[in-house]
Amino acid sequence: QSTWGPTPHLSRMAIYGEKAVSLVRELSKATVLPAFKADTVQEVVNEMTALHQEVFSTLKALKGQDPPPSIAAGVVFHHASITRSKRCVLAYLNARLQYLRAMRWEVGTVFPDHLRDVLSGEEVAYMNDYNVLVGDYMTDIDCTLTDTLSPPR
């Protein structure tokens, strides 16, 4: 007997992955870096965890037997939903970090207030570490990479 079926915590979810896609969609439409959506990211992680637990309990209940096609399709669908949500969250995080690294080369190590206000604590820590690495590298090669890109005359 499969444990597959509606559960209270999953039945409240409108569409699997909807919030994950909204993260990427909002970021792609933005002209400036929007505030980090920690609550939405956490909701996506919770959804992925719930789906994973559902898949795991279904497979465990099968005890190594071949599942009926409807159960197999459900497991595959839920696994694909988990994978899609994970890829969306990673794309969201990566796009934000790419933007921050690009801004570091445009404005230097001190970000303007409007940009600092939209960063998460983890993003601030990442940029601090990134700045240290760039500074150490410039010291090691004895070259200031942030100077003008024009060749000397």
Side-chain angles (χ1 to χ4, degrees), residues 29-145:
K29 290 180 181 178
T31 56
V32 295
L33 189 67
F36 184 76
K37 304 283 188 189
D39 292 341
T40 305
V41 170
Q42 187 59 53
E43 288 172 9
V44 172
V45 169
N46 292 344
E47 178 183 287
M48 290 188 305
T49 301
L51 287 171
H52 180 266
Q53 290 170 346
E54 198 68 30
V55 167
F56 181 77
S57 65
T58 298
L59 294 175
K60 186 176 177 183
L62 291 172
K63 298 178 183 162
Q65 298 173 352
D66 288 338
S70 61
I71 300 296
V75 168
V76 170
F77 173 78
H78 284 80
H79 178 72
S81 297
I82 294 167
T83 303
R84 180 177 187 228
S85 292
K86 185 189 315 183
R87 290 179 68 192
C88 287
V89 169
L90 291 174
Y92 173 77
L93 297 173
N94 187 50
R96 289 183 64 86
L97 293 180
Q98 284 178 343
Y99 180 87
L100 293 176
R101 286 190 302 265
M103 286 300 295
R104 191 267 184 229
W105 293 100
E106 286 182 32
V107 300
T109 58
V110 179
F111 284 172
D113 289 339
H114 74 276
L115 186 57
R116 275 183 288 173
D117 293 342
V118 300
L119 302 180
S120 70
E122 291 81 5
E123 289 171 326
V124 171
Y126 174 85
M127 288 311 300
N128 289 338
D129 292 344
Y130 184 75
N131 288 332
V132 168
L133 286 173
V134 170
D136 290 348
Y137 180 71
M138 288 190 297
T139 300
D140 288 349
I141 65 169
D142 194 28
C143 179
T144 304
L145 299 174

Side-chain angles (χ1 to χ4, degrees), residues 21-32:
V21 171
S22 74
L23 287 170
V24 176
R25 188 174 292 131
E26 179 186 340
L27 193 58
S28 69
K29 290 180 181 178
T31 56
V32 295

